[in-house]
Amino acid sequence: MKTFLLGVGCQKGGTTWLHDYLARHPQCDMGFQKEYHIFDGLDLPDLKPFRRNTRRKITRIRKDNGILRGAEATGLPAEVQADYETALIRKSFYADVTTYADYFQTLAAPDHIRLVGDITPSYAGLSAERFAAIKALMESRGFDLRVVFLLRDPVDRVYSSVRMELRNRAKAQKKMSETPVQTLLKRYDNPNNQLRTRYDLTMAALEQAFAPEQIFYGFYETLFSQAELARLTGFLDIDLQPAAFDARVNASPTDEDLTPAAATELRRFYDVTYQGCMEKFGPDFIRSIWPYA
């Protein structure tokens, strides 16, 4: 039986490193991208722009290249052609999620492939009902569905995500008038950050939809080790391969220390998350790996 990996987060929790490891693995095929953003684009109001942007990309490519209505898009530069074709595939996923299952079933067809998957951290905000529907859909295609949820100290996670946002704005040459800590204090409690940081809610939804043996809980703070990778690859039923543990993908440089006052405010706001994780994984363990626990 082939394995379908549903990666549900957390953002800034090592998911890109994990995807890159799996994308290089000879027994895996992760398809044309890491984050497909299908079910969040369908269900979560703040993430629906992913669906709209897919349609807009198709329209823009056709317009920019003078493709008439009803005509096929052919003869485009290779990179543009690839973008166009993947946008069409994503559009089909949104229109009918059974085509999503068909796509991964095709990826899994070769004998040497044992795992395919979709690692989209914002799936952390999906409902138990949606998780159950994904489970039923992928199991109908013969997959053994496995869920991976990587967690990170909530204060560290939120601050890292803010620094990533500011770094991306700087790359786009957008004007920035705030420091990272000032931005953090304005945004730590917004719906986008809560969706990605209320691990207690995500775990509750997952555990309504999946059996315990289908869920892997890991931690950013312990992920980059041979022992933890062995535990994860064993869970995914693939061979353990060499890994670049020193590599950090999409790491957010720390150009301003988090002030004690800001850390205290975030810690208080996400106390329910800390308490839920200490209850599930043990207070001694959580306090040993999470600096703000």
Side-chain angles (χ1 to χ4, degrees):
M1 183 179 289
K2 305 295 179 82
T3 300
F4 178 80
L5 162 62
L6 184 70
V8 301
C10 68
Q11 183 196 49
K12 306 304 293 179
T15 58
T16 301
W17 183 90
L18 174 60
H19 173 269
D20 288 358
Y21 173 82
L22 295 174
R24 293 190 300 269
H25 196 293
Q27 296 170 322
C28 305
D29 190 338
M30 302 301 287
F32 60 81
Q33 65 187 81
K34 174 204 171 196
E35 300 182 22
Y36 287 83
H37 285 292
I38 302 305
F39 304 105
D40 53 351
L42 289 170
D43 292 0
L44 304 179
D46 288 347
L47 281 300
K48 288 188 177 180
F50 282 108
R51 186 177 186 179
R52 292 197 299 270
N53 290 343
T54 296
R55 295 195 300 265
R56 288 170 180 168
K57 176 179 277 191
I58 293 169
T59 300
R60 185 183 71 249
I61 291 174
R62 294 184 67 89
K63 180 179 179 181
D64 290 350
N65 291 275
I67 302 168
L68 300 177
R69 182 185 296 273
E72 291 189 18
T74 58
L76 300 173
E79 186 174 338
V80 176
Q81 187 75 42
D83 279 349
Y84 183 74
E85 291 174 1
T86 55
L88 289 178
I89 294 171
R90 286 171 52 80
K91 182 181 177 183
S92 74
F93 293 168
Y94 288 124
D96 180 357
V97 294
T98 64
T99 63
Y100 172 93
D102 294 341
Y103 171 76
F104 286 104
Q105 189 174 33
T106 300
L107 291 185
D111 290 342
H112 70 284
I113 296 298
R114 291 165 60 175
L115 180 142
V116 296
D118 173 3
I119 303 177
T120 301
S122 47
Y123 287 172
L126 297 178
S127 67
E129 291 74 18
R130 174 58 84 179
F131 283 134
I134 297 170
K135 178 178 183 288
L137 174 65
M138 303 314 290
E139 289 182 349
S140 75
R141 296 298 195 275
F143 283 110
D144 177 15
L145 194 145
R146 299 297 174 99
V147 177
V148 170
F149 187 24
L150 303 177
L151 293 75
R152 181 178 182 176
D153 184 299
V155 172
D156 278 342
R157 193 217 71 76
V158 176
Y159 191 36
S160 181
S161 71
V162 165
R163 298 198 311 273
M164 177 182 68
E165 178 187 345
L166 294 179
R167 181 188 67 202
N168 291 340
R169 289 179 62 187
K171 286 181 179 178
Q173 298 183 333
K174 293 182 179 179
K175 184 178 179 181
M176 295 182 294
S177 59
E178 297 177 336
T179 69
V181 171
Q182 288 172 332
T183 303
L184 174 72
L185 289 172
K186 287 185 176 181
R187 303 190 185 182
Y188 70 87
D189 58 351
N190 68 22
N192 187 51
N193 272 315
Q194 290 195 55
L195 179 151
R196 292 167 168 80
T197 317
R198 286 294 306 274
Y199 310 148
D200 51 312
L201 298 180
T202 301
M203 292 189 295
L206 290 175
E207 290 171 11
Q208 286 186 55
F210 301 102
E213 61 270 18
Q214 291 181 295
I215 306 171
F216 179 97
Y217 293 117
F219 296 86
Y220 174 84
E221 292 81 2
T222 62
L223 176 63
F224 307 101
S225 69
Q226 192 76 3
E228 186 68 353
L229 188 59
R231 186 172 78 93
L232 178 55
T233 53
F235 170 79
L236 296 174
D237 194 29
I238 56 176
D239 295 341
L240 178 64
Q241 295 286 313
F245 292 118
D246 293 335
R248 294 292 187 274
V249 186
N250 284 341
S252 299
T254 306
D255 47 12
E256 182 185 9
D257 289 338
L258 184 58
T259 64
T264 298
E265 187 166 340
L266 265 70
R267 174 62 179 80
R268 176 197 56 77
F269 185 82
Y270 287 108
D271 181 68
V272 65
T273 299
Y274 284 96
Q275 294 301 324
C277 290
M278 286 191 280
E279 180 178 340
K280 182 167 185 65
F281 304 109
D284 291 343
F285 173 69
I286 291 297
R287 288 177 180 136
S288 74
I289 65 169
W290 283 0
Y292 295 99

